Amino acid sequence: MAHQAGGQWPAPRPVPETCETQAYLEDYATLLDALPFPSLVVDHRWKVVTANGAFEALFRGVRPHPTAMPGDNFLRFVLFHPDAGDVLGEHEPGWCLPMLAHLRAALETYGHEHELQAVRRDIAQDPLMEAAYRQGLPHWIRAVGEAATRLDGAVRLLLHPDPRRGPVECRIVEETPQTLRDLGHRRLTMVLREPRRVAPPARRPRRPRGTATHLTVVPAPED
């Protein structure tokens, strides 16, 4: 990723899709499934290459969506799925704004990538999201510092569907072996911490499917 999102993410090298590469990815998926914490591998477009059972369990309650399922593209899920805030606690400041920063950085590096451009077009069609991206995001980064956009080491709130967990903080750890880096992939793991000793936050009313998520922490500019 470009420096605004906490470190350069180099362009993927042209690694051929050999049988050995496919076998490595299959074995890596087996490794992820042995982990107790939600973990996923994404490419430079935030498409999910593989995710483990703990990740699937975390998002098991989200409704079907044509373009923003968490197991398909994590960036789209955070920004556009109406149920994202039911799982990702403190959704706007903790997840949406940092992911908008990562989108902006990815577009600087991969401006030709059609899938990233499609995300940008979808943002442009929502006036509040567009205002957040153009005006609110730079203001937010100036206020909190660029460190707040980084994923590795960040502590985020999850609203786990397992009642034994409930609201729980996780530390996001990025740990990517060289083979994945050569493919242009990165691995992110949400290391669950002890549950917060607080009352669970009020759940938002579920939005109708297809309704875009609006960022309320960054108001649209006045006319």
Side-chain angles (χ1 to χ4, degrees), residues 34-133:
L35 296 178
F37 302 122
S39 190
L40 71 163
V41 174
V42 296
D43 67 11
H44 65 285
R45 301 162 296 180
W46 290 91
K47 285 182 66 69
V48 176
V49 177
T50 187
N52 66 1
F55 179 88
E56 295 171 358
L58 178 62
F59 297 102
R60 67 190 178 198
V62 303
R63 293 168 293 176
H65 190 283
T67 63
M69 293 302 290
D72 294 335
N73 188 298
F74 194 66
L75 172 68
R76 278 191 166 277
F77 172 75
V78 173
L79 296 182
F80 301 125
H81 199 295
D83 297 346
D86 292 343
V87 181
L88 306 177
E90 300 167 350
H91 179 237
E92 294 172 2
W95 297 90
C96 270
L97 288 167
M99 291 302 282
L100 284 175
H102 280 271
L103 172 64
R104 188 178 69 173
L107 285 169
E108 290 177 1
T109 305
Y110 312 106
H112 63 284
E113 170 54 55
H114 73 276
E115 189 157 348
L116 293 172
Q117 290 289 346
V119 174
R120 181 67 187 90
R121 287 193 298 271
D122 287 348
I123 289 173
Q125 292 174 5
D126 184 315
L128 288 180
M129 289 282 283
E130 179 69 5
Y133 185 83

Side-chain angles (χ1 to χ4, degrees), residues 20 24 27-28 39 44 64 91 99 152 159 169-171 192 196 214 217 219:
E20 182 60 29
Y24 177 88
D27 289 342
Y28 201 82
S39 190
H44 65 285
H91 179 237
M99 291 302 282
D152 186 39
L159 308 179
E169 288 181 334
C170 72
R171 185 178 298 277
L192 305 184
R196 282 186 175 184
H214 292 304
V217 296

Side-chain angles (χ1 to χ4, degrees), residues 157-158 160 162-170 192-198:
L157 179 64
L158 296 175
H160 204 287
D162 186 338
R164 295 170 296 179
R165 291 283 189 180
V168 60
E169 288 181 334
C170 72
L192 305 184
R193 309 171 86 190
E194 288 300 314
R196 282 186 175 184
R197 303 301 181 185
V198 296

